[in-house]
Each structure stands twice: as C-alpha cells, then as structure tokens.
Amino acid sequence: MSRLGPCLRPRPLLTGPWAVPRGLRRVSVAAGLRRGPAGSGTASAAGMEELLSRSVPPLPPYETKEKAPPPAERLSAEFVRYYRALEAGPPRAELLTRLACDFGVDHGRVAEFSAKVLQAREQQRELGALLQAEDRLRYYLNPRYRGLFQHLGRLEGGLRFLVELRGDLVEGLATKAVDGPHVKVQIKFDKKRMFLMSVLSVKHNHHVTEVATALWGNFRRVLRWFPLTAGKRRKRYRKALELGIDVNMSRFTVTYDELLSAGISEAVHPVRNWVDMKRRVGSYRRCYFFSHCAIPGEPLIVLHVALTSDISSSIQAIVKEVPPLETEDTDKITTAIFYSISLTQQGLQGVELGTYLIKRVVKELQKELPQIKAFSTLSPIPGFTKWLVGLLSSQTKEPERNELFTESEWQEISEITGDSTTETLKKLLNNNEWVRSEKLVKVLHSPFMRLCAWYLYGEKHRGYALNPVANFHLQNGSVMWRINWMADTSPRGISASCGMMVNYRYFLEDTASNSAAYLGTKQIKASEQVLSLVSQFQQNSKL
C-alpha cells in the first residue's frame, strides 16, 4: 500500500536557483565531489566532512537559543546540490550515515545536564531550578541535524527534497545500505518531527520547532495544511485534477499518461488503461487524495472508493465491471467500500496520512450521501502466501507430521497432487498453478480460510497484528469483519494471498473505543465469522 505507483513520474526536487540542471546531475557541484566510474557521483571523505560541517548548523548555547542567527540559504542549497549530485546507493548512504553518527546529539552535554537534574532532585532544590535543569537537558537532547532539516524545509522545494531524503533512508535501512542505531533514531526523528517542521515552515518560516513537536500529538491540526482535493462526480473531476476533461467525458482533452502523471492511480490494483480509469472515476466511484501546497500537482496519498448496496466480497466486481447505469441512483447507495489506499511517496512512510484521509473522506461522503450507513474496506492480505509456504517448508523437515490440515483434508490433497509430502503443494502455491484445478480449489477452501483467519488474527508482531494492512485498519478502530474466498483472482492476488481478501468494517460510533482497545491492550475486535474460523484453526491445527 505504501509502494510508489507506476503512474508517478519522478520530478526535480527543487526549483529556482537551487535546482541542479539535468545535465549536471552526476557531475561535481561541490568541493570533494569527483567523477567515479561511468560518470557516477562519488565523494571523498574529507569533502563530505567539510560539506556537513558547513551545512549542519551548530546547536546554539542554551542561553542564546532564541537569538540564533537566521539560517544561510546558500549553505542549505549547497547541501541539496551536493546530495542530488551523489549517485544513489552507497555514496548517499555514506553521507546519511555520517550525518546520523557525527551530527547527532552531544552525548557529553546530555550526560552533564542529566547529572544536574539528578543533583537538583537529590538536593531538593526549589522547583524552578529543577525545571530549568530539565529544560536544559531537553534542549541538548536535540540532534544537530534537526537544524539542517529545519533550514532545508524553508527552501523553495525543500519539502519535496526532505521527502526524497527520507525515502532514501527508508530504502537504505531496508537494503542494509545504511544501518545502526544512529540511523534508526534519525529516521524515527524524521517521521515525527522533520516532516511536520518542514510542513509548518512552509507557512510560518519561523518558530516552528516547538509548534511541530506539540502538534504531532494531535495531527488533525496539521491537516489544515493539507487541502483535500476530492474527485467526486465526473462533472467535478476537472476541478479535482486541474486538467481539462469534458463534463460528459464523451471526449477527452488530456492523454491517459497525463492523467496518470497527475497521480490519480493506485498501487494496490494498478490501472491498466484509459477504459479502466473511466471505471475507477465513473458512476458509483470516487477518488480522494491529500495534496500539499509545497508539492503542487502531486498527490501524497490516494484513496479509491466504490459506492455499493452491500459490502463487496470481490475486487473484480469493483475494478473490472462497468456500472450498468450512466447516472447514479442514490437510492441504491448504502455502502462505501474503501478498496485501495496508496501512499505515493516512499519518504512519507510512517506519517499517518492514511488514517486522516479515511476520516476526512467519511465526513465528505456523509455530507454528500447521508443515506450511507456502512463504511468498509475490501483489503488485500499481503504476505499470507509467503507465511503459508513457510509453514509448509517447516513440515517438509518432518514428513510424517501434519499440523495444518485434518487427516481427511490431507488425504484429498495428496490424491489430487499425487504427493504425500508438502513439496508439490508448495510448488503449486509458488507458481499459482493450484487455481487451475477445480478439485484442489474446492478442497483447499476450508483449510485456507481458517489459516488465513489465524494469520490475520493470531499472528503477532510485538503483540499487534503481523499483517501490516490489518494493523493499519485495526489501529484506526475498524472491526475485522469478513474473510472472502477467491475475492481477487488476478495473478497478483493469487500470489500474495491465495486469492483471499478481507473486509475491515468501520462502525463510526465505536472506532475510538476499538482503536484504544487495540493500541492499549492489543485486543482485536472481530466478527463472528472471523472468530469462528479462528476457533476452527485452533481445533484442527497444531501450530
């Protein structure tokens, strides 16, 4: 869901005097940068150290923190040019690692003022002295690179650059190109403060540090900086995209590529062509996204909605079938199905835009169509097939053990596959060939449904749902409502989740209490169907 959709084109991160011309992307633009093999941009350690020393502002003494001189735009712009000229991969990873390790928190100062706080408590000094000591400690816990992020956020196009920089951090951690506790702390800091500081600095350009930190606890206030653009009825679609589309959509004045480049697509169920796009935004469909004034023309997150008469159990009915009527019959609309939510920028992973987009969309739909009573998702189950194949692999080591299927089920499976071990079944799952056998699809229906229920409900990571999509919706306060067999028969759906999908239903009056229960006591709210399948798993499996 957070993957960059195929529709989005990379664009220059900065405009104005700080932009690096295309022809100069891989040539030296700062001291210490040299041409590597095949023209790639690499940097000497001394040059990189010199650049960081100039670009990262020192932390002012506590007594003069309010009188610190304004940032030098030239130095921040120099950092952008230097970074953009570096080749993606190890060179950028090295710079980010140096930034995290050498320009973080001054541990000497932290130790010094920690001791003073303890001393003030032990000596039972007056409250004012203790609070001042705590404030000094809090101040010196700020890493130096925080100032750099603030300054970058004030540049024209700086927010876009910060999003890309954090995307490089996310990718570097995933590929182990950058690693270590310093970098992990940096990216957590980025998630909660860097992004919000840069967002607010677009509007205020001063005194944003404490405001951004305080607003993170109540992120709704920040949403006013994210104007919601809603693709509602087709006659309003022109306004949503800011592109010229005929009101009746009988003729089109933009190309398919231009429409997709505006970001109105999705990564969960990719749009294949222009006809497919018409289905996604036509009658009984809506498209919503958050955009930001600092990144004009590029949605940050996109949500696709289907308006139906019941809770959908198949994605094919939504993304492939053309609605029979050209004009919506609002009397038939009682349910809103959120079938795809896609984050378009990797650097925004962890920033809770999806949660607030769904909440805003619910309010928009309630205004437009007050007769809607049911709000539900039709969500993919990424990782289920991989998890299941892993279980089958563990059984391969002990062929006589059968922990996943009943004896009668395994006997039928063995007769169909011609193999009394799990090897053939594993191969059929890996190459999607099992769906070609009607008999095998029928016999796997019951065991796969209960295994999927356990994967969603019972498999945990630190006490929360292991599946990331489940964790996202449960945090939002939804109910794990229904698991659907053969709900996504596309090759992608079969590969990821054996064709199954799940509905997470939002009961608006209960979302706050459900969310609090899940986050506080890790309790998952589930329907009778899901709990019944979990019970069947516990009775018939021995994991």
Side-chain angles (χ1 to χ4, degrees):
M1 291 185 34
S2 59
R3 184 164 47 194
L4 184 65
C7 59
L8 298 179
R9 300 171 179 171
R11 303 185 182 184
L13 288 186
L14 290 180
T15 58
W18 305 289
V20 181
R22 287 188 178 184
L24 300 180
R25 288 294 184 198
R26 295 185 179 180
V27 299
S28 175
V29 295
L33 198 63
R34 57 182 175 81
R35 291 181 66 88
S40 62
T42 58
S44 65
M48 186 178 292
E49 193 70 29
E50 181 183 352
L51 171 92
L52 290 174
S53 297
R54 292 198 308 270
S55 303
V56 183
L59 196 66
Y62 177 82
E63 291 76 13
T64 62
K65 61 179 180 177
E66 302 297 338
K67 300 178 181 180
E73 282 191 355
R74 177 182 59 81
L75 296 179
S76 300
E78 180 183 358
F79 177 87
V80 174
R81 289 195 297 269
Y82 186 96
Y83 185 86
R84 290 290 293 159
L86 287 175
E87 188 75 16
R92 290 187 178 184
E94 181 183 358
L95 184 146
L96 293 173
T97 301
R98 285 180 175 272
L99 181 65
C101 295
D102 300 339
F103 296 88
V105 171
D106 185 339
H107 296 291
R109 289 278 193 174
V110 170
E112 175 186 349
F113 286 102
S114 296
K116 289 186 177 181
V117 170
L118 293 175
Q119 185 179 19
R121 287 193 60 188
E122 291 173 355
Q123 295 178 356
Q124 296 184 346
R125 295 181 183 176
E126 61 181 17
L127 182 60
L130 176 60
L131 292 177
Q132 186 181 53
E134 290 176 346
D135 191 53
R136 285 175 179 265
L137 173 60
R138 190 179 301 112
Y139 176 73
Y140 285 109
L141 281 170
N142 290 318
R144 280 185 61 185
Y145 52 71
R146 178 176 184 171
L148 173 64
F149 293 153
Q150 287 179 292
H151 296 176
L152 291 173
R154 296 185 177 106
L155 293 178
E156 180 184 357
L159 175 58
R160 190 195 300 272
F161 174 76
L162 288 173
V163 170
E164 188 207 3
L165 186 145
R166 188 171 184 273
D168 289 342
L169 269 175
V170 171
E171 184 177 356
L173 285 171
T175 60
K176 305 290 186 182
V178 290
D179 202 0
H182 293 85
V183 180
K184 292 178 181 178
V185 167
Q186 183 189 46
I187 200 166
K188 289 180 181 178
F189 172 83
D190 292 347
K191 179 176 75 174
K192 292 189 176 182
R193 295 184 176 87
M194 177 202 78
F195 180 72
L196 291 182
M197 285 189 291
S198 61
V199 168
L200 290 174
S201 64
V202 171
K203 289 286 183 182
H204 294 297
N205 292 325
H206 65 285
H207 300 308
V208 299
T209 304
E210 297 301 325
V211 175
T213 303
L215 285 185
W216 177 254
N218 187 2
F219 194 51
R220 290 186 198 137
R221 301 179 195 174
V222 186
L223 286 180
R224 64 184 139 196
W225 311 128
F226 288 87
L228 175 67
T229 307
K232 296 190 177 181
R233 289 191 176 90
R234 290 173 299 161
K235 64 183 180 181
R236 301 177 188 173
Y237 200 56
R238 177 196 303 245
K239 182 178 180 181
L241 286 180
E242 297 181 351
L243 294 173
I245 299 181
D246 187 76
V247 172
N248 296 319
M249 294 188 72
S250 57
R251 56 184 175 84
F252 308 104
T253 58
V254 294
T255 66
Y256 171 65
D257 288 339
E258 287 174 330
L259 184 61
L260 292 186
S261 70
I264 306 304
S265 184
E266 49 153 317
V268 182
H269 307 288
V271 176
R272 298 171 299 173
N273 51 42
W274 184 246
V275 175
D276 201 5
M277 174 61 77
K278 285 179 62 179
R279 294 169 183 154
R280 310 291 179 95
V281 299
S283 298
Y284 302 100
R285 301 292 182 268
R286 300 290 186 272
C287 176
Y288 300 85
F289 59 87
F290 276 146
S291 60
H292 189 273
C293 57
I295 310 180
E298 291 190 32
L300 305 181
I301 187 168
V302 181
L303 175 65
H304 288 256
V305 184
L307 304 177
T308 65
S309 58
D310 55 14
I311 297 179
S312 303
S313 60
S314 170
I315 193 63
Q316 275 70 41
I318 293 175
V319 301
K320 289 188 177 180
E321 294 181 7
V322 181
L325 297 177
E326 194 68 23
T327 304
E328 288 181 354
D329 183 353
T330 56
D331 293 334
K332 295 182 178 180
I333 299 174
T334 61
T335 305
I337 303 293
F338 308 135
Y339 67 90
S340 173
I341 184 166
S342 301
L343 193 65
T344 65
Q345 305 286 340
Q346 186 182 25
L348 296 181
Q349 287 185 24
V351 181
E352 299 174 3
L353 294 179
T355 298
Y356 298 99
L357 178 57
I358 288 176
K359 292 179 179 179
R360 284 286 300 275
V361 167
V362 167
K363 292 181 179 179
E364 292 286 325
L365 289 172
Q366 286 179 318
K367 291 178 183 178
E368 181 189 358
L369 300 165
Q371 76 274 16
I372 292 180
K373 302 303 179 184
F375 294 90
S376 175
T377 76
L378 182 59
S379 300
I381 312 173
F384 171 69
T385 302
K386 183 179 179 181
W387 173 80
L388 179 57
V389 170
L391 293 182
L392 293 172
S393 297
S394 64
Q395 287 199 7
T396 303
K397 300 175 182 178
E398 301 179 59
E400 300 302 322
R401 295 179 61 186
N402 174 28
E403 298 180 335
L404 304 182
F405 309 98
T406 64
E407 291 184 8
S408 60
E409 288 170 347
W410 185 243
Q411 184 177 354
E412 288 186 77
I413 294 171
S414 300
E415 289 176 357
I416 297 171
T417 61
D419 187 356
S420 60
T421 70
T422 60
E423 283 300 322
T424 300
L425 182 58
K426 281 173 50 183
K427 291 178 182 178
L428 292 173
L429 289 174
N430 284 325
N431 60 24
N432 290 357
E433 289 296 317
W434 66 278
V435 294
R436 296 180 180 273
S437 169
E438 292 184 10
K439 291 182 178 179
L440 194 55
V441 170
K442 183 177 180 180
V443 73
L444 290 177
H445 180 183
S446 293
F448 276 18
M449 285 284 284
R450 65 174 183 261
L451 284 164
C452 186
W454 180 256
Y455 170 70
L456 292 171
Y457 185 89
E459 288 294 317
K460 303 295 179 62
H461 174 65
R462 297 179 180 175
Y464 299 104
L466 174 66
N467 183 265
V469 180
N471 187 52
F472 170 76
H473 288 293
L474 292 171
Q475 284 189 35
N476 292 344
S478 68
V479 175
M480 194 176 291
W481 184 251
R482 186 177 66 200
I483 299 173
N484 304 292
W485 179 247
M486 288 293 117
D488 185 358
T489 55
S490 68
R492 186 174 182 174
I494 297 297
S495 296
S497 59
C498 297
M500 286 179 283
M501 300 187 76
V502 58
N503 300 114
Y504 298 98
R505 188 166 176 182
Y506 284 82
F507 294 92
L508 303 184
E509 65 277 10
D510 298 329
T511 53
S513 59
N514 291 345
S515 176
Y518 180 70
L519 294 173
T521 63
K522 303 171 182 176
Q523 176 185 352
I524 294 177
K525 190 77 171 179
S527 68
E528 291 184 5
Q529 186 240 27
V530 174
L531 294 177
S532 176
L533 290 170
V534 169
S535 178
Q536 292 175 36
F537 170 86
Q538 293 171 330
Q539 293 172 12
N540 296 297
S541 302
K542 304 179 181 63
L543 293 183

